[in-house]
């Protein structure tokens, strides 16, 4: 089969399809004929050698949609690697039925972004099945979502709206913010010309937000903490800047704010957590209240172009590669 085999780290421009052996059929796995796969920031970090546990050679790609060999079931799925290929062998626990009426392109945009966005709210204590419920509040619940116009960001806006949470999102582009507003984003902040810390305080009457989707790292971790209200939570789930998170412990003490980590790679192996998240998301999906924002569709052979689009912050919503 053809697959996007990463043989050397740090060479985005040399990503190309290669002939590799078909996946081995094992008793506990099904083989899925992949039709579409979602691009994630983690695919870039991995191929740059900046993601934990990556060893070359490996087949890139963390999420896919297609049909189960033998039964023809239309499914979408999550994996640690191997989605940028014509086929994958995968345990049933990591596939879900494609929602009624969705294409494989739409379905491949669901697993990573929607599970991550839901689990951030879950960790922040803002979902009905919360890990540890948020402290009571008389003010409306609010979330600050960095990279709001991206894959996780656009999922977080939609889920936030369904949870009754006011969403404040950051982006480098007014155009992307307008699209996110059409999805339900309450307030947009263009960080290219506005200071988001100051704007968040203005927009929340000086209170701050209940939770921050923090995926930037570096100074943004401490600045995000300063955007947070008493007892609020900063959920750290990425470091797009490539810099180590900096902490403002004084603000954390004085406002009883906590910083939590979240990594889908480890949570995905916790079947109870993922099953509970799917129970929460499925009725919204079936009612047509959640739908991935697919901004770009391109053939798998153009993966390096897709990676560059994301790295250069030019993507809106999800980038999908088709097989
Ligand atoms: N922990 C987990 O399990 C998990 C799961 C999924 C994703 N993530 C993390 O969530 C973040 C978003 O992932 P995604 O796949 O949904 O990507 P994405 O948001 O679709 O694309 C990345 C966006 O981040 C923004 N950005 C801000 N600073 C950036 C920088 N220094 N370099 C590049 N982009 C920057 C850009 O949007 P603007 O120009 O609009 O700011 C860019 O378009 C990533 O950090 C990723 O690692 C973590």
């Amino acid at each position: 089969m053809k697959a996007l085999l990463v043989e050397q780290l740090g060479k985005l421009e040399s990503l190309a399809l290669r002939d590799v052996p078909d996946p081995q059929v094992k008793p506990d796995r099904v083989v899925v004929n992949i039709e579409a796969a979602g691009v994630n920031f983690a695919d870039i970090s991995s191929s740059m050698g900046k993601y934990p546990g990556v060893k070359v050679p490996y087949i890139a790609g963390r999420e896919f949609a297609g049909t189960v060999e033998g039964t023809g079931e239309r499914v979408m799925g999550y994996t640690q690697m191997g989605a940028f290929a014509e086929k994958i062998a995968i345990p049933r626990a990591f596939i879900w039925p494609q929602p009624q009426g969705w294409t494989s392109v739409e379905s491949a945009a669901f697993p990573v972004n929607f599970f991550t966005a839901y689990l951030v709210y879950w960790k922040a204590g803002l979902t009905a099945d919360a890990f540890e419920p948020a402290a009571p509040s008389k003010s409306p619940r609010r979330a600050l979502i960095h990279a709001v116009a991206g894959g996780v960001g656009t999922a977080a806006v939609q889920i936030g709206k369904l949870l009754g949470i006011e969403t404040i999102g950051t982006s480098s582009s007014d155009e992307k913010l307008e699209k996110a507003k059409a999805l339900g984003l309450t307030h947009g902040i263009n960080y290219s010309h506005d200071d988001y810390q100051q704007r968040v305080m203005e927009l929340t009457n000086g209170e701050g937000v209940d939770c921050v989707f923090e995926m930037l790292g570096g100074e943004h971790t401490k600045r995000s903490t300063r955007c947070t209200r008493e007892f609020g939570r900063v959920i750290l789930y990425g470091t797009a800047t490539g810099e180590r998170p900096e902490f403002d412990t004084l603000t954390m003490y004085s406002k009883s704010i906590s910083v939590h980590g979240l990594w889908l790679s480890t949570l995905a192996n916790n079947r109870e957590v993922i099953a509970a998240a799917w129970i929460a998301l499925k009725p919204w999906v079936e009612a047509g209240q959640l739908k991935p924002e697919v901004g770009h569709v391109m053939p798998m052979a153009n993966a390096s172009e897709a990676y560059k689009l994301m790295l250069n912050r030019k993507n809106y919503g999800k980038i999908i590669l088709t097989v």
Side-chain angles (χ1 to χ4, degrees):
M1 67 170 184
K2 297 271 184 219
L4 197 87
L5 190 71
V6 180
E7 293 168 306
Q8 236 186 320
L9 298 177
K11 300 258 182 211
L12 288 190
E13 62 287 344
S14 65
L15 289 170
L17 292 179
R18 306 259 185 260
D19 287 310
V20 300
D22 278 9
Q24 283 186 345
V25 184
K26 292 184 187 161
D28 59 334
R29 288 170 186 238
V30 292
V31 172
V32 175
N33 290 309
I34 297 177
E35 293 171 357
V39 177
N40 288 286
F41 199 85
D43 297 319
I44 301 174
S45 314
S46 300
S47 64
M48 299 295 284
K50 293 179 180 167
Y51 202 82
V54 174
K55 288 193 187 104
V56 287
Y58 70 95
I59 298 173
R62 289 176 155 72
E63 61 190 334
F64 58 87
T67 55
V68 175
E69 209 161 79
T71 68
E73 289 160 85
R74 300 192 65 75
V75 294
M76 54 190 185
Y78 171 79
T79 176
Q80 303 285 329
M81 59 183 70
F84 296 165
E86 288 177 320
K87 291 168 189 266
I88 189 167
I90 188 92
R92 275 217 168 256
F94 296 118
I95 55 174
W96 301 271
Q98 283 192 20
Q100 192 78 33
W102 286 22
T103 61
S104 279
V105 164
E106 290 163 330
S107 306
F110 185 86
V112 172
N113 293 163
F114 282 82
F115 279 118
T116 302
Y118 182 80
L119 291 170
V120 170
Y121 286 121
W122 171 76
K123 268 233 142 168
L126 299 172
T127 62
D129 61 345
F131 178 68
E132 187 189 335
S137 165
K138 291 196 177 93
S139 305
R141 295 294 189 189
R142 303 178 184 114
L144 169 62
I145 305 167
H146 288 302
V148 73
V152 177
T154 50
V157 169
Q158 295 180 56
I159 296 172
K161 192 175 166 192
L162 292 166
L163 292 171
I165 295 168
E166 277 184 14
T167 48
I168 303 175
T170 70
S171 171
S172 61
S173 143
D174 288 338
E175 199 188 331
K176 290 204 257 178
L177 285 171
E178 282 312 312
K179 289 185 185 168
K181 276 193 192 160
L183 259 191
L185 176 68
T186 321
H187 303 285
I189 303 171
N190 185 331
Y191 61 80
S192 325
H193 49 71
D194 280 338
D195 179 324
Y196 67 79
Q197 194 182 319
Q198 190 184 330
R199 282 295 292 139
V200 166
M201 284 308 172
E202 285 164 7
L203 291 166
T204 60
N205 307 316
E207 277 185 10
V209 297
D210 295 85
C211 107
V212 186
F213 280 68
E214 209 309 71
M215 40 55 72
L216 293 166
E219 61 160 2
H220 297 287
T221 309
K222 70 179 178 199
R223 297 190 68 215
S224 295
T225 307
R226 293 172 189 157
C227 294
T228 307
R229 59 175 303 187
E230 275 186 13
F231 302 113
R233 297 181 199 167
V234 175
I235 314 297
L236 189 57
Y237 68 105
T239 47
T241 58
E243 291 164 18
R244 272 179 182 272
E246 294 170 22
F247 294 93
D248 175 355
T249 46
L250 189 59
T251 301
M252 288 169 66
Y253 292 140
S254 63
K255 290 165 94 183
S256 296
I257 290 165
S258 51
V259 179
H260 297 236
L262 187 144
W263 195 21
L264 193 62
S265 303
T266 44
L267 281 178
N269 290 319
N270 187 325
R271 297 190 179 177
E272 281 170 19
V273 170
I274 292 296
W278 179 234
I279 286 169
L281 291 167
K282 195 169 167 238
W284 288 330
V285 167
E286 286 174 349
Q289 292 170 296
L290 292 180
K291 190 109 187 224
E293 283 284 282
V294 177
H296 316 264
V297 181
M298 52 184 85
M300 201 166 278
N302 296 11
S304 17
E305 193 189 313
Y307 282 23
K308 280 181 205 146
L309 194 75
M310 191 178 266
L311 206 51
N312 295 330
R313 312 185 196 193
K314 298 295 180 210
N315 66 306
Y316 169 74
K318 192 76 184 174
I319 308 174
I320 294 292
L321 302 177
T322 51
V323 180

